[in-house]
Amino acid sequence: RGARPSMPTIRDVPLFQVLAFAARTWPHRLALSAEPPPQRAAEAPAEMSFEELRAAALVAARKLLSLGVRPGDHVALWAANRVEWVVLEFALARLGAVLVTANTALGRDDLAYLLRQSEARFLLADSRVKGHDLLAVLRSLDRGSLPHLERLALFEEEELEGAARWSALAPAPEDELPPPPGDPDALINMQYTSGTTGFPKGVMLSSRNIVNNAWTCGQILGLSPEDRVLVQVPLFHCFGCVVAVLGAFTHGASIHLVPWFD
Protein backbone atom coordinates (compact mmCIF):
# COMPACT_ATOMS: atom_id res chain seq x y z
CA ARG A 1 0.00 0.00 0.00
CA GLY A 2 2.96 2.33 0.38
CA ALA A 3 3.44 4.83 3.19
CA ARG A 4 0.28 5.64 5.10
CA PRO A 5 -0.34 9.38 5.65
CA SER A 6 -0.39 10.53 9.26
CA MET A 7 -3.88 10.43 10.75
CA PRO A 8 -5.43 13.02 13.07
CA THR A 9 -5.79 11.65 16.57
CA ILE A 10 -9.07 11.30 18.45
CA ARG A 11 -8.60 9.94 21.98
CA ASP A 12 -9.69 10.60 25.57
CA VAL A 13 -13.02 12.12 24.54
CA PRO A 14 -16.72 11.39 25.16
CA LEU A 15 -17.98 8.87 22.61
CA PHE A 16 -20.16 11.23 20.56
CA GLN A 17 -17.10 13.34 19.82
CA VAL A 18 -15.79 10.53 17.59
CA LEU A 19 -18.69 11.08 15.19
CA ALA A 20 -18.51 14.87 15.50
CA PHE A 21 -14.79 14.68 14.68
CA ALA A 22 -15.38 12.42 11.66
CA ALA A 23 -18.17 14.70 10.37
CA ARG A 24 -15.87 17.73 10.62
CA THR A 25 -12.86 15.99 9.08
CA TRP A 26 -14.50 13.89 6.34
CA PRO A 27 -18.10 15.29 6.11
CA HIS A 28 -18.98 13.95 2.66
CA ARG A 29 -17.09 10.66 2.73
CA LEU A 30 -19.07 7.44 3.06
CA ALA A 31 -19.47 6.47 6.73
CA LEU A 32 -21.62 3.38 6.41
CA SER A 33 -23.60 1.22 4.07
CA ALA A 34 -25.89 -1.59 5.14
CA GLU A 35 -27.54 -4.54 3.46
CA PRO A 36 -31.27 -4.80 4.25
CA PRO A 37 -32.37 -7.77 6.35
CA PRO A 38 -33.74 -10.80 4.47
CA GLN A 39 -37.36 -9.81 5.12
CA ARG A 40 -36.69 -6.58 3.19
CA ALA A 41 -34.28 -7.99 0.63
CA ALA A 42 -35.79 -5.99 -2.24
CA GLU A 43 -34.60 -2.72 -0.71
CA ALA A 44 -31.38 -1.10 -1.88
CA PRO A 45 -28.49 -0.95 0.59
CA ALA A 46 -28.65 2.14 2.78
CA GLU A 47 -25.78 4.64 2.68
CA MET A 48 -24.79 7.60 4.86
CA SER A 49 -21.93 10.08 4.84
CA PHE A 50 -20.34 11.06 8.14
CA GLU A 51 -22.30 14.31 8.21
CA GLU A 52 -25.56 12.50 7.38
CA LEU A 53 -24.85 10.02 10.17
CA ARG A 54 -24.17 12.83 12.65
CA ALA A 55 -27.46 14.51 11.70
CA ALA A 56 -29.35 11.18 12.00
CA ALA A 57 -27.84 10.58 15.45
CA LEU A 58 -29.05 13.98 16.65
CA VAL A 59 -32.58 13.27 15.38
CA ALA A 60 -32.46 9.85 17.07
CA ALA A 61 -31.34 11.49 20.32
CA ARG A 62 -34.44 13.70 20.15
CA LYS A 63 -36.61 10.62 19.47
CA LEU A 64 -35.09 8.98 22.54
CA LEU A 65 -36.05 12.07 24.54
CA SER A 66 -39.64 11.75 23.34
CA LEU A 67 -39.57 8.08 24.42
CA GLY A 68 -38.55 9.28 27.89
CA VAL A 69 -34.80 8.55 27.88
CA ARG A 70 -32.71 10.95 29.96
CA PRO A 71 -28.98 11.28 30.70
CA GLY A 72 -27.76 8.37 32.82
CA ASP A 73 -30.59 6.00 31.82
CA HIS A 74 -29.68 2.45 30.84
CA VAL A 75 -31.05 1.51 27.41
CA ALA A 76 -30.84 -2.08 26.10
CA LEU A 77 -30.42 -2.62 22.36
CA TRP A 78 -31.47 -6.07 21.08
CA ALA A 79 -31.18 -6.10 17.31
CA ALA A 80 -29.41 -7.31 14.19
CA ASN A 81 -26.68 -5.29 12.47
CA ARG A 82 -28.74 -2.47 11.04
CA VAL A 83 -28.35 1.26 10.41
CA GLU A 84 -30.42 2.12 13.48
CA TRP A 85 -27.95 0.22 15.68
CA VAL A 86 -25.05 2.47 14.71
CA VAL A 87 -27.19 5.61 14.79
CA LEU A 88 -28.35 4.74 18.31
CA GLU A 89 -24.84 3.97 19.53
CA PHE A 90 -24.07 7.65 18.93
CA ALA A 91 -27.52 9.02 19.82
CA LEU A 92 -27.37 7.45 23.28
CA ALA A 93 -23.84 8.78 23.73
CA ARG A 94 -25.03 12.28 22.75
CA LEU A 95 -27.63 12.11 25.53
CA GLY A 96 -25.20 10.66 28.05
CA ALA A 97 -27.37 7.54 28.35
CA VAL A 98 -25.82 4.08 28.76
CA LEU A 99 -25.96 1.57 25.91
CA VAL A 100 -26.62 -1.96 27.20
CA THR A 101 -25.79 -4.46 24.46
CA ALA A 102 -27.88 -7.64 24.34
CA ASN A 103 -26.98 -10.83 22.50
CA THR A 104 -29.66 -11.54 19.87
CA ALA A 105 -29.53 -15.28 20.67
CA LEU A 106 -30.89 -14.76 24.20
CA GLY A 107 -34.03 -16.58 25.27
CA ARG A 108 -36.67 -15.31 27.67
CA ASP A 109 -34.92 -16.09 30.97
CA ASP A 110 -31.51 -14.80 29.90
CA LEU A 111 -32.98 -11.61 28.44
CA ALA A 112 -34.96 -11.02 31.65
CA TYR A 113 -31.79 -11.55 33.70
CA LEU A 114 -29.87 -9.03 31.59
CA LEU A 115 -32.65 -6.43 31.82
CA ARG A 116 -32.92 -6.83 35.60
CA GLN A 117 -29.20 -6.95 36.27
CA SER A 118 -28.45 -3.91 34.09
CA GLU A 119 -31.44 -1.97 35.48
CA ALA A 120 -32.41 -1.11 31.91
CA ARG A 121 -35.30 1.37 31.75
CA PHE A 122 -35.79 1.05 27.98
CA LEU A 123 -35.50 -1.74 25.43
CA LEU A 124 -35.18 -1.19 21.67
CA ALA A 125 -35.62 -4.41 19.74
CA ASP A 126 -35.80 -6.19 16.42
CA SER A 127 -38.53 -8.72 15.64
CA ARG A 128 -36.49 -11.57 14.17
CA VAL A 129 -32.76 -12.26 13.85
CA LYS A 130 -31.27 -15.22 11.99
CA GLY A 131 -34.34 -17.40 12.56
CA HIS A 132 -34.68 -16.39 16.23
CA ASP A 133 -38.14 -14.99 16.97
CA LEU A 134 -37.33 -12.04 19.22
CA LEU A 135 -40.94 -10.89 19.15
CA ALA A 136 -42.11 -14.22 20.64
CA VAL A 137 -39.53 -13.84 23.41
CA LEU A 138 -40.73 -10.31 24.15
CA ARG A 139 -44.35 -11.49 24.28
CA SER A 140 -43.39 -14.18 26.80
CA LEU A 141 -41.56 -11.81 29.15
CA ASP A 142 -43.07 -11.34 32.60
CA ARG A 143 -43.01 -7.54 32.66
CA GLY A 144 -43.97 -7.60 36.32
CA SER A 145 -40.58 -9.16 37.13
CA LEU A 146 -38.76 -6.24 35.48
CA PRO A 147 -39.37 -3.32 37.83
CA HIS A 148 -36.95 -0.95 36.09
CA LEU A 149 -38.22 -1.49 32.53
CA GLU A 150 -40.54 1.36 31.51
CA ARG A 151 -40.80 1.37 27.70
CA LEU A 152 -40.19 -0.86 24.70
CA ALA A 153 -39.84 0.17 21.07
CA LEU A 154 -39.67 -2.03 17.95
CA PHE A 155 -37.76 -1.33 14.74
CA GLU A 156 -39.98 -3.48 12.51
CA GLU A 157 -43.66 -2.83 11.86
CA GLU A 158 -44.89 -5.47 14.28
CA GLU A 159 -47.51 -5.37 17.02
CA LEU A 160 -46.53 -5.78 20.66
CA GLU A 161 -48.75 -4.61 23.48
CA GLY A 162 -47.34 -1.50 25.09
CA ALA A 163 -44.49 -1.14 22.58
CA ALA A 164 -43.85 1.97 20.48
CA ARG A 165 -42.73 1.86 16.86
CA TRP A 166 -39.35 3.54 16.48
CA SER A 167 -40.24 4.89 13.04
CA ALA A 168 -43.41 6.53 14.39
CA LEU A 169 -41.77 8.38 17.28
CA ALA A 170 -41.76 12.15 16.83
CA PRO A 171 -38.47 13.81 17.81
CA ALA A 172 -38.55 16.14 20.79
CA PRO A 173 -37.86 19.83 20.02
CA GLU A 174 -34.21 20.54 19.27
CA ASP A 175 -33.87 22.94 22.19
CA GLU A 176 -34.68 20.11 24.62
CA LEU A 177 -31.41 18.32 23.89
CA PRO A 178 -29.19 18.55 26.97
CA PRO A 179 -25.60 19.82 26.63
CA PRO A 180 -23.21 17.24 25.17
CA PRO A 181 -21.55 15.05 27.83
CA GLY A 182 -18.10 16.25 28.77
CA ASP A 183 -16.67 13.50 30.99
CA PRO A 184 -14.80 10.75 29.08
CA ASP A 185 -14.71 8.63 32.24
CA ALA A 186 -18.48 8.45 32.68
CA LEU A 187 -20.20 5.09 32.13
CA ILE A 188 -21.31 4.85 28.49
CA ASN A 189 -21.62 1.13 27.66
CA MET A 190 -22.41 -2.15 29.41
CA GLN A 191 -21.26 -5.34 27.69
CA TYR A 192 -22.33 -8.75 28.96
CA THR A 193 -19.78 -11.53 29.12
CA SER A 194 -19.17 -14.82 30.89
CA GLY A 195 -16.96 -17.88 30.79
CA THR A 196 -18.31 -21.40 30.46
CA THR A 197 -20.23 -21.34 33.74
CA GLY A 198 -22.22 -18.85 35.78
CA PHE A 199 -24.33 -15.88 34.87
CA PRO A 200 -23.03 -13.20 32.47
CA LYS A 201 -21.33 -10.23 34.10
CA GLY A 202 -22.15 -6.67 33.16
CA VAL A 203 -18.84 -5.01 32.24
CA MET A 204 -19.02 -1.24 32.76
CA LEU A 205 -17.11 0.73 30.14
CA SER A 206 -16.35 4.44 29.85
CA SER A 207 -15.88 6.49 26.71
CA ARG A 208 -12.16 6.63 27.42
CA ASN A 209 -12.07 2.80 27.57
CA ILE A 210 -13.69 2.20 24.22
CA VAL A 211 -12.60 5.26 22.22
CA ASN A 212 -8.92 4.71 23.05
CA ASN A 213 -9.25 0.98 22.41
CA ALA A 214 -10.88 1.65 19.05
CA TRP A 215 -8.34 4.28 17.96
CA THR A 216 -5.45 1.97 18.90
CA CYS A 217 -6.98 -0.94 16.96
CA GLY A 218 -7.43 1.33 13.93
CA GLN A 219 -3.78 2.33 14.15
CA ILE A 220 -2.59 -1.27 14.38
CA LEU A 221 -4.80 -2.26 11.42
CA GLY A 222 -3.49 0.68 9.41
CA LEU A 223 -6.97 2.03 8.62
CA SER A 224 -7.40 5.18 6.52
CA PRO A 225 -10.24 7.03 4.75
CA GLU A 226 -9.54 4.86 1.69
CA ASP A 227 -10.61 1.69 3.52
CA ARG A 228 -13.94 -0.09 3.90
CA VAL A 229 -14.53 -2.45 6.81
CA LEU A 230 -16.95 -5.36 6.48
CA VAL A 231 -18.92 -5.76 9.72
CA GLN A 232 -20.24 -9.30 9.71
CA VAL A 233 -19.57 -9.72 13.43
CA PRO A 234 -22.48 -8.78 15.71
CA LEU A 235 -22.67 -5.17 16.83
CA PHE A 236 -23.77 -6.30 20.31
CA HIS A 237 -20.19 -7.47 20.95
CA CYS A 238 -17.21 -5.15 21.52
CA PHE A 239 -15.65 -6.48 18.30
CA GLY A 240 -18.59 -4.98 16.39
CA CYS A 241 -19.52 -1.73 18.12
CA VAL A 242 -16.00 -0.81 19.31
CA VAL A 243 -13.25 -2.30 17.14
CA ALA A 244 -15.23 -2.25 13.86
CA VAL A 245 -17.43 0.87 14.15
CA LEU A 246 -15.29 3.18 16.27
CA GLY A 247 -12.00 1.77 15.00
CA ALA A 248 -13.10 2.69 11.48
CA PHE A 249 -14.60 6.07 12.30
CA THR A 250 -11.58 7.31 14.29
CA HIS A 251 -9.60 6.84 11.07
CA GLY A 252 -12.16 7.99 8.49
CA ALA A 253 -12.81 4.49 7.16
CA SER A 254 -16.33 3.39 6.25
CA ILE A 255 -18.18 0.31 7.42
CA HIS A 256 -20.50 -2.07 5.57
CA LEU A 257 -23.06 -3.85 7.75
CA VAL A 258 -24.21 -7.39 7.10
CA PRO A 259 -27.44 -8.12 9.07
CA TRP A 260 -25.88 -11.21 10.64
CA PHE A 261 -23.10 -13.69 10.00
CA ASP A 262 -23.85 -16.47 7.52
Side-chain angles (χ1 to χ4, degrees):
R1 287 167 46 136
R4 181 165 57 91
S6 60
M7 293 293 299
T9 300
I10 181 77
R11 293 168 59 96
D12 302 307
V13 296
L15 178 59
F16 186 77
Q17 291 305 313
V18 170
L19 181 55
F21 158 81
R24 287 193 308 271
T25 310
W26 308 283
H28 305 301
R29 293 194 74 92
L30 181 69
L32 70 82
S33 56
E35 295 178 22
Q39 63 267 30
R40 301 205 309 269
E43 296 181 13
E47 291 191 350
M48 282 187 179
S49 69
F50 282 112
E51 175 53 33
E52 289 169 337
L53 179 57
R54 186 194 71 87
L58 292 176
V59 171
R62 292 162 53 203
K63 292 178 73 167
L64 289 167
L65 282 176
S66 71
L67 191 64
V69 179
R70 295 296 180 266
D73 283 345
H74 294 192
V75 180
L77 188 50
W78 198 39
N81 290 4
R82 55 191 301 146
V83 170
E84 292 90 345
W85 213 112
V86 178
V87 170
L88 282 161
E89 181 175 358
F90 291 103
L92 290 164
R94 173 59 183 82
L95 286 183
V98 178
L99 168 62
V100 179
T101 56
N103 189 323
T104 52
L106 295 178
R108 180 195 63 190
D109 294 343
D110 288 332
L111 178 64
Y113 168 82
L114 179 146
L115 294 172
R116 280 195 301 271
Q117 207 273 342
S118 67
E119 299 183 353
R121 291 186 60 204
F122 300 87
L123 173 61
L124 306 173
D126 241 326
S127 300
R128 197 165 285 99
V129 175
K130 201 177 182 181
H132 185 34
D133 192 342
L134 275 60
L135 194 61
V137 174
L138 293 172
R139 286 177 173 144
S140 70
L141 277 178
D142 177 10
R143 295 283 300 276
S145 70
L146 304 170
H148 298 283
L149 189 64
E150 295 180 10
R151 296 290 306 276
L152 292 100
L154 295 176
F155 294 123
E156 296 293 338
E157 300 297 309
E158 303 277 5
E159 294 293 336
L160 178 65
E161 185 177 356
R165 288 183 179 175
W166 177 251
S167 62
L169 286 172
E174 193 170 350
D175 60 7
E176 290 186 13
L177 271 176
D183 181 7
D185 292 312
L187 175 64
I188 198 71
N189 181 208
M190 289 183 70
Q191 297 265 346
Y192 274 79
T193 183
S194 67
T196 56
T197 63
F199 288 107
K201 315 299 191 295
V203 180
M204 298 188 293
L205 299 168
S206 70
S207 289
R208 196 188 305 274
N209 291 150
I210 60 180
V211 170
N212 289 5
N213 183 25
W215 181 85
T216 303
C217 288
Q219 285 291 101
I220 292 169
L221 291 169
L223 293 178
S224 80
E226 303 305 315
D227 291 316
R228 301 194 71 185
V229 177
L230 178 68
V231 185
Q232 84 284 1
V233 293
L235 288 170
F236 63 72
H237 190 269
C238 58
F239 193 170
C241 65
V242 176
V243 176
V245 175
L246 300 179
F249 289 0
T250 53
H251 289 73
S254 68
I255 60 174
H256 181 74
L257 301 178
V258 176
W260 50 75
F261 176 74
D262 184 344

